[in-house]
């Protein structure tokens, strides 16, 4: 029994009901009833980790997400994240968080990761890091490909929050468990998982209610939407990252002076 996690889920469900969010959950039975697993999920919004746990609830499972350390440093979210046994990731020092994730997997936990690392501004799949499949291999657990669609319409990068009663449909799908193929490299295994997720994403988007008008900003350019292309989005991510590094260097210089 985990009172904090259970209470947070209850509050989240109340919030989502108030927003009128309409969830479609697919593949819930692909979540193992016991034992560890690595959830590899696409990343469209700041709320994704709160929606991703829904398919696991059918079998009373909880997902321990890997999240940036800044979330744990916050006075409000930090205590909650630690109480829910999520795993902090410190930029530039991933070894400790990797080890914590593997230990959790070996202990029978489900660990959730976003292999793209950051929210996709294009709403297409970005390049994947191989940490997820490496963890699955080391802990000898399956990989669960997971896809979410529609969450970008609630709160995504570079756009205003839409936390009122929007009645937004959100689909969360879990694919069949995949196992690390020893004949392939970690990078090849990662691409194998990504290919499955791409097929799942295409199927979910095809079944999703058609968007029009101002909502076209939440639709990929490849589907006739006005979101940036993958190339444009990656260029913007690179610009933002460069600016963040510049500010960091300036602060360090100011401290020395």
């Amino acid at each position: 029994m985990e009172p904090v996690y259970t209470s947070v889920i209850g509050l989240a469900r109340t919030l989502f009901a108030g927003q009128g969010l309409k969830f479609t959950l697919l593949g819930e039975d692909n979540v193992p009833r016991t034992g560890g697993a690595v959830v590899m999920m696409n990343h469209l919004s700041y709320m994704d980790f709160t929606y991703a746990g829904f398919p696991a609830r059918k079998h009373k499972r909880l997902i321990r997400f890997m999240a940036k350390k800044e979330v744990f440093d916050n006075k409000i979210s930090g205590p909650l994240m630690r109480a829910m046994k999520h795993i902090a990731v410190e930029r530039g020092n991933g070894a400790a968080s990797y080890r914590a994730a593997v230990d959790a997997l070996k202990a029978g936990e489900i660990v959730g990761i976003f292999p793209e690392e950051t929210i996709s501004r294009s709403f297409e799949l970005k390049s994947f890091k191989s940490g997820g499949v490496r963890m699955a291999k080391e802990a000898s657990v399956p990989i669960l490909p997971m896809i979410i669609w529609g969450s970008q319409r609630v709160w995504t990068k570079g756009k205003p929050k839409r936390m009122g009663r929007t009645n937004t449909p959100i689909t969360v799908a879990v694919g069949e468990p995949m196992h690390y193929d020893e004949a392939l490299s970690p990078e090849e295994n990662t691409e194998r998982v990504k290919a499955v997720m791409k097929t799942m994403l295409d199927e979910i988007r095809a079944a999703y209610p058609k968007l029009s008008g101002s909502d076209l900003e939440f639709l990929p350019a490849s589907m006739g939407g006005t979101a940036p292309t993958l190339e444009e989005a990656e260029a913007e991510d690179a610009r933002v990252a460069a600016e963040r590094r510049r500010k960091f260097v300036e602060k360090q210089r100011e401290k020395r002076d």
Side-chain angles (χ1 to χ4, degrees):
M1 187 67 179
E2 297 196 31
V4 175
Y5 211 143
T6 302
S7 297
V8 170
I9 290 172
L11 288 171
R13 290 172 69 94
T14 300
L15 171 64
F16 301 156
Q19 292 175 286
L21 302 184
K22 304 180 189 331
F23 288 95
T24 298
L25 305 180
L26 306 171
E28 295 168 283
D29 285 330
N30 288 326
V31 178
R33 289 164 174 74
T34 60
V38 175
V39 168
M40 291 179 61
M41 181 182 182
N42 66 321
H43 203 2
L44 301 176
S45 85
Y46 294 108
M47 300 296 290
D48 286 344
F49 74 98
T50 63
Y51 305 144
F54 274 23
R57 296 301 297 148
K58 180 175 182 178
H59 301 312
K60 297 180 170 59
R61 300 301 306 273
L62 298 172
I63 301 177
R64 317 298 180 178
F65 276 96
M66 300 185 76
K68 60 184 180 180
K69 183 177 178 292
E70 288 83 351
V71 179
F72 290 78
D73 292 338
N74 183 278
K75 291 188 294 185
I76 297 175
S77 61
L80 291 174
M81 294 294 283
R82 286 186 285 273
M84 290 187 285
K85 302 178 185 177
H86 294 309
I87 301 167
V89 179
E90 186 172 1
R91 294 183 189 277
N93 183 25
S97 56
Y98 177 91
R99 178 48 49 197
V102 171
D103 289 344
L105 291 166
K106 289 182 176 180
E109 301 282 5
I110 299 178
V111 173
I113 71 163
F114 297 104
E116 299 166 287
E117 290 194 329
T118 59
I119 291 172
S120 173
R121 297 174 188 268
S122 68
F123 312 129
E124 305 279 15
L125 295 182
K126 294 160 55 74
S127 60
F128 280 22
K129 301 295 184 182
S130 63
V133 299
R134 292 175 189 271
M135 288 188 294
K137 177 178 186 282
E138 187 168 344
S140 298
V141 299
I143 299 159
L144 298 179
M146 183 183 285
I147 286 294
I148 189 166
W149 186 251
S151 62
Q152 73 274 22
R153 298 174 65 193
V154 177
W155 186 15
T156 192
K157 186 178 289 186
K159 301 187 185 301
K161 290 185 250 185
R162 302 172 75 198
M163 302 297 283
R165 190 168 184 82
T166 60
N167 301 317
T168 301
I170 296 175
T171 303
V172 186
V174 184
E176 293 183 3
M178 301 177 67
H179 296 273
Y180 190 95
D181 188 338
E182 296 290 348
L184 302 176
S185 68
E187 291 73 23
E188 290 170 326
N189 271 282
T190 300
E191 288 303 310
R192 181 169 152 257
V193 176
K194 183 179 179 181
V196 169
M197 291 174 63
K198 176 64 166 61
T199 298
M200 292 172 61
L201 179 59
D202 288 344
E203 292 173 351
I204 289 169
R205 295 195 303 198
Y208 192 83
K210 186 176 180 180
L211 300 183
S212 61
S214 61
D215 278 339
L216 287 176
E217 65 178 340
F218 301 111
L219 196 65
S222 65
M223 298 178 68
T226 58
T229 65
L230 183 58
E231 294 74 20
E232 291 169 341
E234 288 180 341
E236 177 63 12
D237 284 341
R239 186 195 67 78
V240 171
E243 179 64 14
R244 187 185 299 119
R245 286 193 297 270
R246 184 188 66 78
K247 289 181 178 179
F248 176 78
V249 171
E250 283 185 355
K251 286 183 179 180
Q252 295 303 308
R253 186 179 300 118
E254 289 172 0
K255 288 180 181 180
R256 290 195 299 269
D257 295 343

